[in-house]
Amino acid sequence: MADFRKSTVYQVYPKSFYDSNGDGLGDLRGITEKLDYIRDLGADYIWITPFFVSPQNDNGYDVEDYYKIDPRYGTMEDFEELAREAGKRGIRLMLDMVFNHTSTRHEWFRKAMEGDEAYKDFYIFRKGKAPGVPPTNWESKFGGSAWEYVEQFDEYYLHLFDVTQADLNWDNPRVREELQKIVRFWMGKGVKGFRFDVVNLISKGAFEDDDQGDGRRFYTDGPHVHEYLKELNEATFGTDAEFITVGEMSSTTLENCYRYAGEDSHELSMVFSFHHLKVDFMGNEKWVIVPFDFQKLKDILYEWQTKMAEHRAWNAVFWCNHDQPRVVSRFGNVKKYWKESAKMLGTVVHCMRGTPYIYQGEELGMTNCGFTDISQYRDVESLNHFRILQDKGLSEENAYQILAIHSRDNSRTPMQWTGGRQAGFTEGEPWIQVSENHSFINAEDEERDEDSILSYYRKLVQLRKDYDVIAYGDFEPLDVRNPSVMAYKRTWEGQELLVICNFYGKETVWSSGQDLDAFCCILGNYEDQRTEKDRAALRPYECMVLYRKK
Ligand code: GLC
């Protein structure tokens, strides 16, 4: 049986992964063609982001039909072939269920708009506070009001994301039954895992004005969320012990995550939380430029690692996904220490307690895209905020600088397979521009190079399988206030693992308080390690993983 604690998940964003038919968009057959690559990396699961019928206003997170595959991505036969071929290679598929909202093109929403009361109750319609004033002052995550006025009803519907993504009313039992049916349908197709999109937002609390923020405190980790997840678990995937599930938790709390992902809570296997990826924000404000706060990054990771373990709950551990900028551009140093810093960052996550997720291209050290003109951007959130920033009085140049750092398109440029035309992603014109650096950051070259980031990631994935201490061990932060080093210790049945990572381009000496000579180094990003007694001399972005068995 697959043990999710020993597993690694590889995330595929199909649109940008591999285009098998030359139309410029990646597709399901493209994933099938690249399965050997994913197997060679050692991944146990592939999480595929949504490929259901969708107008693609949010690249598929606006679902029009949960039972059908968008022809842009292929057919049901293509999906079945992908599942079969993955299975042959020991890889399981994990699908992305977007259940907080549907596209406004979904049949349910269309019926609601025709005035069918039963379907209106699938969504959240409310009267305005006064003529022209929405029910609450909540803001959409993509900018602007979270309410859209519908003239024929003189009511507004709620959309926490784009105006074409209407929030579902989970308090309606019929909605929950329909969603269970969808889960069962895909289980029947041999899928072995699900990721649930922003699933901690499904239970809305009071519809009140937020005088302290954008409204999130009224619908985040809402009043019935645990009850609804338990119900979904029991009615669907909970019957299959091999299933793994991960919930994407927006602005959540530890206390809620003990329950979402607790060993005995029968909700989900694990959670994605994002606090560690807001250390280069100003509070919750993402559209600013501030250097990342290293101490805060450590504090957050340490707290989640230790407290989730204390409460026997499980984390998904990760740096990258399709919503985040590339980690090597974010916390590493692409100019001078690209390779060292990419390997170091991978080490931090892969030796932690939790199931690691690798986002396509991260294993190559892919960087932010370097776009300089708005015509290059595709993402709805980025396009909205480019306008909003300028409405707030920022210059165009400033708005570009902010986008270059925070835009979700940074991670959505095509996978870099080769150094050749369009990075080997497509024979046609890609839907979004390929990064220029594919001439030296690409899978073909890295597969041939033993010292590449790709080769290093393969070792990281294998370590978790070889060393129980990585999969099962306790977590203890070390030297918490060190200004440049992140270090921690894992322990399990007489085994000890020390993970020591220099986050900066300056040499530093780290004192461990333990005799390092008693350990052997099982992985590092420099050829040799300079340890003596209790000290490790660390070069720029150096990391080492030390192991001993008592
Ligand atoms: C999640 C997805 C993101 C999407 C949003 C709305 O955060 O990861 O891509 O835009 O939910 O569905």
Side-chain angles (χ1 to χ4, degrees):
M1 198 175 103
D3 179 350
F4 63 76
R5 295 170 299 178
K6 283 235 165 214
S7 299
T8 297
V9 183
Y10 188 74
Q11 183 193 349
V12 168
Y13 197 66
K15 212 174 207 173
S16 300
F17 191 60
Y18 185 61
D19 174 17
S20 71
N21 61 1
D23 65 358
L25 296 176
D27 43 48
L28 294 178
R29 295 183 87 146
I31 307 175
T32 309
E33 284 187 36
K34 296 294 185 184
L35 281 172
D36 286 348
Y37 172 84
I38 299 172
R39 180 205 51 208
D40 292 347
L41 182 60
D44 305 274
Y45 288 84
I46 307 177
W47 151 28
I48 312 174
T49 62
F51 46 74
F52 314 106
V53 171
S54 155
Q56 301 285 324
N57 290 330
D58 188 18
N59 283 350
Y61 282 91
D62 44 332
V63 181
E64 181 176 335
D65 186 340
Y66 294 91
Y67 295 98
K68 294 214 175 86
I69 289 168
D70 196 304
R72 276 173 267 228
Y73 293 120
T75 61
M76 192 57 89
E77 288 69 46
D78 293 338
F79 177 77
E80 286 162 356
E81 191 194 359
L82 169 60
R84 249 191 334 270
E85 288 300 318
K88 282 187 200 160
R89 292 163 177 82
I91 301 172
R92 291 145 191 260
L93 301 185
M94 188 175 198
L95 298 199
D96 205 324
M97 296 285 115
V98 189
F99 284 171
N100 175 67
H101 44 265
T102 72
S103 162
T104 49
R105 295 237 305 245
H106 194 286
E107 193 192 354
W108 302 333
F109 195 80
R110 292 191 204 207
K111 287 191 174 155
M113 291 300 266
E114 284 161 15
D116 183 327
E117 286 300 326
Y119 283 99
K120 267 187 86 185
D121 197 31
F122 268 48
Y123 295 90
I124 300 172
F125 283 90
R126 289 285 182 282
K127 286 280 175 218
K129 268 191 308 216
V133 186
T136 69
N137 65 352
W138 301 357
E139 284 166 33
S140 147
K141 309 252 180 202
F142 292 163
S145 169
W147 296 96
E148 179 72 5
Y149 184 62
V150 181
E151 206 181 331
Q152 73 253 38
F153 306 141
D154 186 27
E155 280 177 342
Y156 294 75
Y157 70 84
L158 180 69
H159 63 90
L160 295 182
F161 294 87
D162 187 51
V163 55
T164 64
Q165 293 167 301
D167 280 56
L168 282 166
N169 173 19
W170 276 67
D171 294 334
N172 178 351
R174 274 199 60 200
V175 168
R176 306 203 300 276
E177 276 160 30
E178 287 294 340
L179 300 177
Q180 291 165 12
K181 264 196 233 160
I182 297 165
V183 171
R184 281 193 290 266
F185 173 81
W186 287 105
M187 285 176 73
K189 293 273 172 204
V191 160
K192 282 292 176 199
F194 292 112
R195 176 230 188 222
F196 292 99
D197 190 59
V198 290
V199 76
N200 66 326
L201 310 184
I202 55 175
S203 169
K204 276 70 179 174
F207 290 91
E208 289 172 21
D209 272 350
D210 190 352
D211 49 16
Q212 297 161 26
D214 58 8
R216 70 182 71 192
R217 67 196 172 97
F218 289 105
Y219 55 74
T220 304
D221 303 319
H224 301 290
V225 63
H226 296 286
E227 175 192 325
Y228 293 158
L229 284 175
K230 279 192 192 5
E231 181 188 76
L232 181 66
N233 174 311
E234 199 183 324
T236 61
F237 53 82
T239 54
D240 183 341
E242 292 215 6
F243 238 80
I244 70 164
T245 51
V246 55
E248 187 202 22
M249 302 302 174
S250 167
S251 300
T252 189
T253 64
L254 263 165
E255 290 67 28
N256 277 289
C257 288
Y258 304 153
R259 298 174 65 192
Y260 291 134
E263 225 172 77
D264 305 316
S265 45
H266 304 289
E267 294 185 23
L268 302 168
S269 320
M270 62 189 108
V271 283
F272 287 121
S273 63
F274 295 90
H275 301 282
H276 67 295
L277 297 175
K278 294 186 178 178
V279 297
D280 53 358
F281 288 16
M282 227 143 69
N284 280 322
E285 182 52 51
K286 151 168 164 175
W287 303 98
V288 289
I289 304 183
V290 288
F292 85 96
D293 183 337
F294 178 56
Q295 189 59 47
K296 198 163 161 193
L297 177 69
K298 287 203 290 184
D299 291 345
I300 293 169
L301 288 173
Y302 290 163
E303 190 182 21
W304 280 75
Q305 285 285 302
T306 48
K307 294 220 170 127
M308 288 290 274
E310 267 168 36
H311 289 81
R312 295 195 297 138
W314 198 250
N315 281 307
V317 288
F318 70 105
W319 291 124
C320 297
N321 67 28
H322 62 291
D323 297 326
Q324 300 293 329
R326 293 285 181 179
V327 68
V328 64
S329 301
R330 193 173 192 180
F331 304 139
N333 181 333
V334 286
K335 287 216 177 84
K336 214 162 156 206
Y337 299 107
W338 164 66
K339 210 189 250 189
E340 291 82 355
S341 60
K343 291 179 182 177
M344 182 279 288
L345 289 161
T347 307
V348 169
V349 154
H350 283 262
C351 293
M352 280 186 167
R353 178 183 178 278
T355 299
Y357 284 66
I358 301 172
Y359 175 66
Q360 64 183 47
E362 173 188 344
E363 75 282 10
L364 305 175
M366 275 178 65
T367 66
N368 282 353
C369 57
F371 289 165
T372 51
D373 193 90
I374 199 64
S375 64
Q376 297 171 295
Y377 286 97
R378 298 286 177 271
D379 169 33
V380 52
E381 185 197 42
S382 307
L383 299 175
N384 286 351
H385 281 276
F386 185 65
R387 185 179 35 78
I388 292 170
L389 286 168
Q390 291 177 79
D391 290 348
K392 283 185 184 160
L394 265 75
S395 68
E396 195 179 90
E397 196 192 343
N398 233 232
Y400 274 128
Q401 286 164 343
I402 295 177
L403 245 51
I405 291 175
H406 291 295
S407 169
R408 304 195 297 179
D409 281 337
N410 281 312
S411 56
R412 297 178 180 184
T413 57
M415 175 75 176
Q416 294 169 200
W417 293 106
T418 72
R421 192 183 167 271
Q422 305 298 8
F425 161 71
T426 177
E427 297 280 312
E429 281 307 306
W431 69 279
I432 187 169
Q433 238 170 289
V434 165
S435 173
E436 276 169 23
N437 61 25
H438 69 274
S439 57
F440 65 96
I441 304 180
N442 65 71
E444 191 177 48
D445 289 350
E446 293 199 28
E447 279 188 313
R448 286 196 286 251
D449 174 7
E450 275 196 25
D451 184 45
S452 66
I453 298 168
L454 176 60
S455 300
Y456 190 89
Y457 262 76
R458 287 177 176 168
K459 290 181 198 153
L460 279 175
V461 174
Q462 189 58 37
L463 275 193
R464 173 166 297 263
K465 304 205 189 308
D466 294 343
Y467 291 88
D468 284 351
V469 63
I470 299 183
Y472 309 122
D474 291 337
F475 182 95
E476 185 193 333
L478 300 175
D479 194 9
V480 174
R481 306 225 48 97
N482 189 300
S484 51
V485 176
M486 181 180 297
Y488 57 81
K489 182 169 160 181
R490 309 283 318 274
T491 6
W492 173 255
E493 296 187 342
Q495 302 174 47
E496 271 182 26
L497 190 86
L498 292 180
V499 181
I500 309 164
C501 301
N502 181 6
F503 261 73
Y504 289 90
K506 265 179 37 196
E507 299 196 354
T508 181
V509 175
W510 186 74
S511 310
S512 73
Q514 300 197 56
D515 181 13
L516 296 179
D517 295 337
F519 288 78
C520 65
C521 179
I522 56 171
L523 192 65
N525 61 352
Y526 279 76
E527 249 173 42
D528 57 346
Q529 285 69 40
R530 301 180 178 170
T531 58
E532 203 190 335
K533 297 201 177 100
D534 70 333
R535 289 147 79 89
L538 300 170
R539 284 156 285 188
Y541 294 94
E542 179 163 4
C543 65
M544 53 181 83
V545 183
L546 307 178
Y547 173 80
R548 77 164 163 189
K549 196 168 177 173
K550 282 188 193 152

